[in-house]
Amino acid sequence: MLNDIEEILYTEEQIATRVHALGAQISTDYQALGPDDLILVAVLRGAAVFLADLSRNIAPSTVVEFMVVEKIKKSDGNAEVKIIKDLDISITGRHVLVVEDIIDEGETLRFLLDALRLREPASLKVVTVFDKPSGRKTEIAADYVGFEVPGAWVVGYGLDYRQQYRNLPVLGVLKKEILTGS
Ligand code: 5GP
Ligand code: MG
């Protein structure tokens, strides 16, 4: 797998250190809110690896929920985002932290937050392990960001290319010949 990587952006150790710090920050922020369970809403599949590491670095009691959303590019250039798998519980009046793998254009997150806000959670925040601010098409920012990445296709630490490379422990830029090949 590493043979297909052009450049390693973040090593396993760098990611672990950063995720630990994010968990500590989130623990401090939510501890202050009281004894209610924090609901972590992970967006599959990309955020699964991050969720596993992050959740174990969060001290307050949490509930883990999963959503699947799909972004479809329409012929007019606009995107449509669909909920493929919704939450199994009500979030009304509860504290929700959306766990994302990467924010690029921002449309997926914008849609997701709009949909969740309608359910009137007590609070709604976002943590993303990677952020590609150069790709934004809509103005949106996460409350907690692990790392900023450049405008290239990155894989590893849960992020895929055609469902592969999710189990790569580092975050890397995929070689161009892999992206264009096949
Ligand atoms: P957007 O912010 O562009 O609407 O959607 C973000 C989603 O696009 C992410 O959750 C992820 O699934 C996918 N994505 C965007 N950039 C990358 C990337 O560099 N690598 C991978 N593997 N997925 C990406
Ligand atoms: Mg995603």
Side-chain angles (χ1 to χ4, degrees):
M1 272 195 307
L2 268 178
N3 289 337
D4 299 344
I5 300 301
E6 179 88 56
E7 185 194 353
I8 293 176
L9 296 178
Y10 298 107
T11 65
E12 203 173 347
E13 291 74 21
Q14 286 173 312
I15 296 172
T17 302
R18 187 73 190 111
V19 172
H20 184 83
L22 282 173
Q25 180 68 54
I26 289 165
S27 299
T28 306
D29 293 354
Y30 284 91
Q31 214 112 49
L33 291 177
D36 265 7
D37 283 341
L38 167 64
I39 303 176
L40 300 177
V41 173
V43 186
L44 294 175
R45 303 183 178 89
V49 172
F50 178 43
L51 171 77
D53 287 342
L54 180 73
S55 62
R56 287 175 295 167
N57 280 285
I58 293 179
S61 174
T62 65
V63 169
V64 172
E65 279 284 313
F66 296 99
M67 283 185 83
V68 178
V69 293
E70 192 174 88
K71 182 162 142 182
I72 301 146
K73 288 269 183 196
K74 294 190 290 186
S75 50
D76 62 6
N78 290 321
E80 192 184 326
V81 186
K82 281 205 322 208
I83 295 178
I84 306 295
K85 187 221 170 290
D86 207 336
L87 300 174
D88 291 328
I89 59 168
S90 165
I91 57 167
T92 305
R94 306 183 71 182
H95 295 290
V96 173
L97 180 62
V98 173
V99 180
E100 264 286 17
D101 54 352
I102 188 166
I103 306 171
D104 182 15
E105 295 178 348
E107 286 162 332
T108 308
L109 184 60
R110 161 64 44 86
F111 169 86
L112 191 64
L113 291 181
D114 285 350
L116 294 179
R117 206 173 285 114
L118 288 175
R119 303 175 194 185
E120 301 185 342
S123 71
L124 182 59
K125 284 189 175 186
V126 180
V127 57
T128 189
V129 62
F130 304 113
D131 190 10
K132 214 190 269 184
S134 61
R136 272 317 182 279
K137 285 189 174 168
T138 176
E139 206 178 303
I140 197 159
D143 300 277
Y144 306 94
V145 175
F147 301 95
E148 285 197 0
V149 298
W153 194 260
V154 293
V155 295
Y157 198 69
L159 286 85
D160 75 313
Y161 176 62
R162 297 188 172 169
Q163 299 305 332
Q164 287 184 285
Y165 307 102
R166 293 193 195 273
N167 59 325
L168 192 69
V170 303
L171 185 84
V173 176
L174 206 56
K175 283 183 180 164
K176 279 191 195 68
E177 56 262 39
I178 306 280
L179 275 173
T180 49
S182 85

